[in-house]
Amino acid sequence: MNVHKTPISGALILEPKVFEDDRGFFLESYSERTFAEIGITQRFVQDNHSCSKRGVLRGLHYQVEKVQGKLVRVVSGEVLDVFVDLRRSSPTFGRWHSAKLSDLNRRMAWVPVGFAHGFYVLSD
């Protein structure tokens, strides 16, 4: 997995290894061992899937009591994914970053606990 650090402490853009041939492709979107090797040790307890139409803006969402880190990926289309550091003790408090995530680039965003997160749908 290729790991791209963002200017915001703890937030990452991940590019999984893709094995592709004339039948299609395979990628590993999550592996506890691989994630631990890159510093993501949070326990995964929930998996969500949403579908939004072009021009929809979702977020910015964050949790106060039942905090969550988020692994975000797009299986169809393209979004502009945005996250904001709301951790008061963080050196990057208040800073934000965005990345295009799509079914073509197969990138994923790791959004740690303490961040607001949202996305804007760019595709049909």
Side-chain angles (χ1 to χ4, degrees):
M1 178 166 311
N2 291 324
V3 179
H4 303 277
K5 292 185 178 180
T6 70
I8 303 179
S9 175
L12 304 169
I13 302 300
L14 308 173
E15 287 185 25
K17 290 181 182 172
V18 179
F19 302 93
E20 195 163 4
D21 61 25
D22 59 344
R23 300 168 295 170
F25 73 90
F26 171 85
L27 65 83
E28 187 176 80
S29 59
Y30 174 75
S31 161
E32 184 177 45
R33 180 186 48 77
T34 302
F35 276 45
E37 289 171 1
I38 62 175
I40 301 171
T41 57
Q42 184 173 13
R43 187 173 153 239
F44 277 64
V45 296
Q46 184 175 329
D47 182 34
N48 300 328
H49 185 104
S50 71
C51 180
S52 301
K53 297 179 179 182
R54 181 185 192 112
V56 168
L57 174 65
R58 300 254 187 195
L60 295 164
H61 298 105
Y62 65 98
Q63 296 77 36
V64 175
E65 293 183 22
K66 294 183 180 181
V67 296
Q68 301 174 348
K70 296 173 183 72
L71 179 62
V72 182
R73 70 185 182 120
V74 173
V75 297
S76 179
E78 181 178 48
V79 304
L80 180 65
D81 200 67
V82 178
F83 38 91
V84 181
D85 188 352
L86 298 179
R87 303 168 298 175
R88 292 193 187 278
S89 62
S90 170
T92 54
F93 173 73
R95 292 183 58 191
W96 64 277
H97 185 73
S98 67
K100 286 186 180 178
L101 307 179
S102 75
D103 60 335
L104 297 179
N105 69 23
R106 299 180 182 131
R107 289 181 168 183
M108 301 182 292
W110 169 249
V111 184
V113 168
F115 279 65
H117 172 259
F119 60 88
Y120 179 74
V121 181
L122 300 169
S123 60
D124 289 326

